[in-house]
Amino acid sequence: MICRQETLTHAVHSLIPEFATAAGVVGLTGFSRGLPDAAVGHILECALNGPPGRMDYSIALLRRGPSFARLHEALLSGSANLGKTAQVLSLIDTDLALADVLWLEFDMERHGGMSLPSFFVGSASPDPEAAASMARSLFGAIWPGIDAPDVTALLRKLPSGVFLRQAGVMASRDAADGPCLRLVLDGVPGDGVREVLRRLRWPGHDDVAHGLAGFADRHVRAGPCRIDVDLGNGLAPSLGVELPCSSFCADHTAGQDLHAAGLASGDKAKALNKLTPRRTIGPKTGPAGAERLDFGLNHIKLKTDGEAGVRKIEAKAYFSLVATPDFESMRPEHEGQERLTEE
């Protein structure tokens, strides 16, 4: 179901004052209205430390349904400047046919504007070679003529049950060591982060790995977590560990733990507990109010940039907005009431 761009306003306003400022809301919602109504979901990325302010923003598009066609129409009409989106879409039915989902990620810049998009593709395929081919194709769409990283060799090192869920290219950012792929590895047990990093021979600091893995071990109780690694000429020391919202919904100590570790401010830790459960926000939308807007925490990411000599972990919250059918309003008795009201 398409979640129209204008509905983002309701989600962003719910992040004031702990995560968002009024100026940031105005800038982001103004930008989002310039995008086509093609997304099935919206993701808002907020730092858990420091004052409210910058929010990165992503839209999710599904192969099933009208998402890709609507995005293509917008590109043909010239109604949106979306960087290298045309190059990615040109492969969506060939080299990227495995991808079920396409994400466009926009970084909020210091002056409040939004960057050109970076791109992620996702698939639930358990076939490592097919997933590796998808990742290489995305890399080639953005950086033609440059040899793609050896994704296959990395995937062969993974323990059983861990697989490549998403591949991304940070097209809006300058990579210090040249172009790279971001690989999102799924199926990692909460107590299995250290083992995955050991197998991959992750080159970062041991104490950082210990801190990230320890938090996952303590709090991932429902469903696996994900590990984000950057692969260029070799494996980079940057790293992310994504913790699912299901763990935070069941564990009210996670926000306190983030605050105690210096990874979240007191105000944001309290707000996180309030914003984590998914709920309906804003008015009913769509034809005759037949849709609800569902908003809440999607996941927490603990990350390190892996800079030389820097042992710093940061935490970010990812909130998601989707439109869901309001089956109650679709019942015949409700339809009759609406018709009488309209007359």
Side-chain angles (χ1 to χ4, degrees):
M1 178 175 285
I2 296 297
C3 189
R4 292 174 297 119
Q5 292 300 129
E6 65 182 30
T7 63
L8 184 67
T9 300
H10 305 294
V12 179
H13 274 281
S14 71
L15 299 178
I16 296 175
E18 293 87 0
F19 292 100
T21 62
V25 166
V26 170
L28 179 55
T29 54
F31 169 80
S32 71
R33 288 194 182 98
L35 298 177
D37 283 330
V40 297
H42 306 265
I43 302 96
L44 296 164
E45 175 185 341
C46 305
L48 282 175
N49 236 331
R54 294 169 60 185
M55 293 175 290
D56 294 339
Y57 169 57
S58 301
I59 58 174
L61 302 99
L62 280 181
R63 177 177 296 279
R64 185 179 65 254
S67 287
F68 290 173
R70 290 190 179 188
L71 183 59
H72 184 65
E73 290 170 4
L75 292 173
L76 289 178
S77 69
S79 61
N81 179 14
L82 295 177
K84 296 186 176 182
T85 303
Q87 289 93 312
V88 176
L89 273 185
S90 70
L91 301 177
I92 209 68
D93 291 322
T94 55
D95 294 357
L96 293 175
L98 188 70
D100 302 314
V101 192
L102 169 66
W103 289 267
L104 275 62
E105 179 181 318
F106 305 90
D107 294 338
M108 181 174 281
E109 298 171 337
R110 293 186 184 279
H111 58 75
M114 305 300 290
S115 71
L116 292 175
S118 294
F119 305 93
F120 282 78
V121 289
S123 171
S125 172
D127 182 348
E129 184 48 50
S133 177
M134 177 184 71
R136 291 192 297 266
S137 295
L138 178 63
F139 184 93
I142 305 302
W143 292 296
I146 299 178
D147 290 339
D150 191 352
V151 182
T152 300
L154 181 141
L155 297 184
R156 286 174 179 161
K157 299 175 183 177
L158 296 176
S160 176
V162 179
F163 62 99
L164 179 62
R165 169 71 75 175
Q166 300 168 17
V169 287
M170 311 306 288
S172 65
R173 305 178 191 176
D174 295 326
D177 299 319
C180 67
L181 275 167
R182 176 155 297 176
L183 305 176
V184 181
L185 309 175
D186 202 354
V188 182
D191 59 358
V193 173
R194 291 184 185 87
E195 175 62 14
V196 172
L197 297 181
R198 184 190 69 79
R199 285 176 176 249
L200 295 180
R201 296 184 179 180
W202 179 67
H205 299 295
D206 288 343
D207 52 346
V208 171
H210 180 81
L212 292 172
F215 199 93
D217 196 1
R218 289 193 298 277
H219 294 289
V220 176
R221 300 172 184 174
C225 62
R226 297 178 178 179
I227 293 178
D228 305 348
V229 295
D230 293 331
L231 183 66
N233 294 328
L235 192 61
S238 50
L239 177 69
V241 177
E242 299 181 14
L243 311 176
C245 66
S246 52
S247 293
F248 284 80
C249 290
D251 180 4
H252 297 295
T253 68
Q256 299 170 10
D257 199 358
L258 286 166
H259 177 53
L263 297 175
S265 68
D267 288 343
K268 289 185 177 181
K270 291 178 183 177
L272 185 63
N273 289 333
K274 178 181 68 175
L275 291 168
T276 290
R278 303 203 67 83
R279 64 199 185 283
T280 298
I281 62 170
K284 295 179 182 179
T285 63
E291 299 170 7
R292 293 179 183 270
L293 297 177
D294 180 77
F295 181 70
L297 182 71
N298 192 72
H299 65 276
I300 294 288
K301 180 190 283 189
L302 306 180
K303 62 183 285 286
T304 178
D305 291 332
E307 298 177 8
V310 178
R311 292 171 165 81
K312 183 179 180 181
I313 297 175
E314 297 177 340
K316 289 188 173 184
Y318 291 72
F319 301 98
S320 61
L321 172 71
V322 295
T324 62
D326 181 15
F327 294 107
E328 183 179 357
S329 69
M330 296 178 187
R331 288 162 47 191
E333 58 267 31
H334 284 263
E335 291 177 358
Q337 291 169 7
E338 288 166 2
R339 283 196 296 272
L340 288 173
T341 302
E342 290 168 1
E343 292 171 359

